[in-house]
Amino acid sequence: MEQVITKIQQKVMEVYQHIHANPEISWQEQQTTKYIEQQLIALGLAPQLLTPTGLYVDIGVGTPQVGIRVDLDALWQEVDGVFQANHSCGHDGHIAMGIGAAMYVQQQNLQQAIRIIFQPAEEKAQGAKAVVAQGVIDHLQFLFGIHVRPIKELSDGQHAPAIYHGAAKLIQGTITGIETHGARPELGINAIEVGAAIIEGLQKIWADPNVSSSIKVTQFQGGGSSTNIIPGQATFSIDARAQTNEVMEQLMEGLTRVLRGVEAIYQAKIITNVSAEIVAAQVDELATQLLTTAIHTIVGQENCAPSIVSPGGEDFHFYTYECPSLKATMLGLGCAVTPGLHHPNMTFNTERLHEGAQILAEVACLAAMEVES
């Protein structure tokens, strides 16, 4: 068995190093998909490609009811003065753990198949919806995700059985008023004044005070180079955050009231659209219990940390949002992410990737036995 473990450790590092050196951004993970497909075929498996990128593979007998999901895409950001694709969110490590988990699951004689999903476009908050639309999770009862965690959240070697991410919405808006001469304001509708009224209105939106939330204007553009013209057009962006989906709904209801009220007062036209959306985590208790047991088995009870509450967002939670019956949770891998996620020079302890692969495989097997029973 030691030879098998050594072989999997080496493969996990090999995959990590290749993916880290060859990052691809959302919806452009063609070579990443091809590489993973080749790795799985070499293991004697039969991966199935998704459209337009990504893939999944089934290991074991029958229709899978337990799944593991890892994400593929890198970020586009400035690194040492150059804009480029960059794995600063740890998805390179997630892929490596997915391959390692596949190898460990192969060692088991399961009567229930395990499905491992390699999902594209997590950073665009679009990949999970695409996977759901292609029917990949239709028969699943359990789904487990994983994410490396900043050292401020988890100590190196400490792993958490759930991550309670918050909800987020990014909203783009346009204001259409009436442009006029600065000497005759009564003939126009000042788009900047309309924007100021929106900002003031957002400060009056009330939501559950026991749940962390915020809604604010983060971009505003209005007016041209001439200072004696009252502008009739403006654009703005709103960032909304809430720790639960219910409170996010309260914020959106409040936003609608503010926009309709400002329109009525100023007789302006305000149009908005949601440009990006992340839903809050809906964590299942049984899935969390199984993941806790898996962490205890692989690294010991002393290395199992409490569940994490994070203000960040994660595309993974669309699976449970779209399929409420799905029992899901996400493993928080304590691997000393420094200085933090999405930092262009982010680093982490890659030795923890093997532990992550083992925990994923263990919890998948536990869930398969739960389904079987």
Side-chain angles (χ1 to χ4, degrees), residues 223-289:
S225 59
S226 298
T227 58
N228 63 345
I229 297 175
I230 289 175
Q233 300 286 330
T235 61
F236 62 92
S237 298
I238 291 174
D239 178 287
R241 308 272 170 168
Q243 200 59 53
T244 68
N245 294 317
E246 292 74 20
V247 170
M248 177 58 76
E249 290 177 5
Q250 293 176 10
L251 294 183
M252 292 301 100
E253 290 169 0
L255 174 62
T256 298
R257 291 194 298 269
V258 168
L259 296 180
R260 298 296 79 82
V262 171
E263 277 188 322
I265 292 169
Y266 286 88
Q267 296 297 295
K269 185 176 183 180
I270 305 171
I271 298 175
T272 59
N273 70 282
V274 177
S275 60
E277 178 182 15
I278 291 286
V279 296
Q282 299 178 77
V283 177
D284 180 76
E285 183 178 351
L286 177 56
T288 304
Q289 291 173 357

Side-chain angles (χ1 to χ4, degrees), residues 63-86:
T63 301
Q65 298 183 64
V66 176
I68 295 169
R69 172 273 204 177
V70 297
D71 34 19
L72 306 183
D73 52 335
L75 289 156
W76 183 260
Q77 63 185 155
E78 186 175 359
V79 183
D80 299 328
V82 179
F83 278 94
Q84 61 188 62
N86 185 41

Side-chain angles (χ1 to χ4, degrees), residues 143-146 160-164 282-284 287-289 291 307 316-317 320 327-331 363:
L143 184 65
F144 299 94
I146 189 166
I163 307 173
Y164 286 83
Q282 299 178 77
V283 177
D284 180 76
T288 304
Q289 291 173 357
L291 188 49
S307 298
F316 177 80
H317 305 301
T320 48
K327 300 177 180 68
T329 189
M330 175 172 274
L331 171 66
V363 73

Side-chain angles (χ1 to χ4, degrees), residues 63-369:
T63 301
Q65 298 183 64
V66 176
I68 295 169
R69 172 273 204 177
V70 297
D71 34 19
L72 306 183
D73 52 335
L75 289 156
W76 183 260
Q77 63 185 155
E78 186 175 359
V79 183
D80 299 328
V82 179
F83 278 94
Q84 61 188 62
N86 185 41
H87 272 299
S88 59
C89 198
H91 296 184
D92 43 3
H94 300 170
I95 295 169
M97 287 185 281
I99 296 293
M103 296 177 72
Y104 273 113
V105 171
Q106 280 188 300
Q107 305 302 312
Q108 308 300 315
N109 185 24
L110 295 176
Q111 298 305 306
Q112 290 281 343
I114 306 296
R115 175 165 290 179
I116 303 181
I117 304 165
F118 295 86
Q119 178 208 300
E122 189 280 327
E123 297 293 353
K124 293 288 188 182
Q126 298 169 347
K129 285 185 177 180
V131 171
V132 171
Q134 293 177 64
V136 177
I137 68 165
D138 284 356
H139 301 289
L140 297 186
Q141 293 188 39
F142 288 91
L143 184 65
F144 299 94
I146 189 166
H147 209 297
V148 298
R149 303 313 301 163
I151 195 165
K152 64 181 292 185
E153 283 188 358
L154 282 178
S155 300
D156 188 22
Q158 293 277 303
H159 310 313
I163 307 173
Y164 286 83
H165 289 100
K169 285 192 180 184
L170 304 181
I171 299 164
Q172 306 297 320
T174 61
I175 300 168
T176 302
I178 298 175
E179 193 166 290
T180 188
H181 195 288
R184 300 176 180 85
E186 75 281 4
L187 300 179
I189 298 175
N190 190 329
I192 291 178
E193 292 180 356
V194 174
I198 293 172
I199 293 170
E200 184 178 0
L202 295 186
Q203 296 170 359
K204 294 179 171 62
I205 294 176
W206 292 95
D208 186 343
N210 297 306
V211 178
S212 175
S213 67
S214 68
I215 183 167
K216 59 277 181 190
V217 172
T218 54
Q219 290 180 329
F220 191 90
Q221 294 180 334
S225 59
S226 298
T227 58
N228 63 345
I229 297 175
I230 289 175
Q233 300 286 330
T235 61
F236 62 92
S237 298
I238 291 174
D239 178 287
R241 308 272 170 168
Q243 200 59 53
T244 68
N245 294 317
E246 292 74 20
V247 170
M248 177 58 76
E249 290 177 5
Q250 293 176 10
L251 294 183
M252 292 301 100
E253 290 169 0
L255 174 62
T256 298
R257 291 194 298 269
V258 168
L259 296 180
R260 298 296 79 82
V262 171
E263 277 188 322
I265 292 169
Y266 286 88
Q267 296 297 295
K269 185 176 183 180
I270 305 171
I271 298 175
T272 59
N273 70 282
V274 177
S275 60
E277 178 182 15
I278 291 286
V279 296
Q282 299 178 77
V283 177
D284 180 76
E285 183 178 351
L286 177 56
T288 304
Q289 291 173 357
L290 294 174
L291 188 49
T292 299
T293 300
I295 294 171
H296 290 181
T297 299
I298 300 302
V299 296
Q301 183 175 352
E302 68 277 10
N303 291 312
C304 185
S307 298
I308 298 166
V309 177
S310 171
E314 186 23 273
D315 188 40
F316 177 80
H317 305 301
F318 271 116
Y319 290 110
T320 48
Y321 189 78
E322 296 289 338
C323 305
S325 63
L326 188 64
K327 300 177 180 68
T329 189
M330 175 172 274
L331 171 66
L333 192 78
C335 55
V337 170
T338 307
L341 295 170
H342 290 205
H343 189 282
N345 303 120
M346 183 272 275
T347 62
F348 62 90
N349 182 3
T350 56
E351 293 182 4
R352 300 300 177 194
L353 296 179
H354 180 245
E355 291 179 7
Q358 289 178 297
I359 294 169
L360 285 177
E362 179 70 17
V363 73
C365 293
L366 290 173
M369 289 187 286

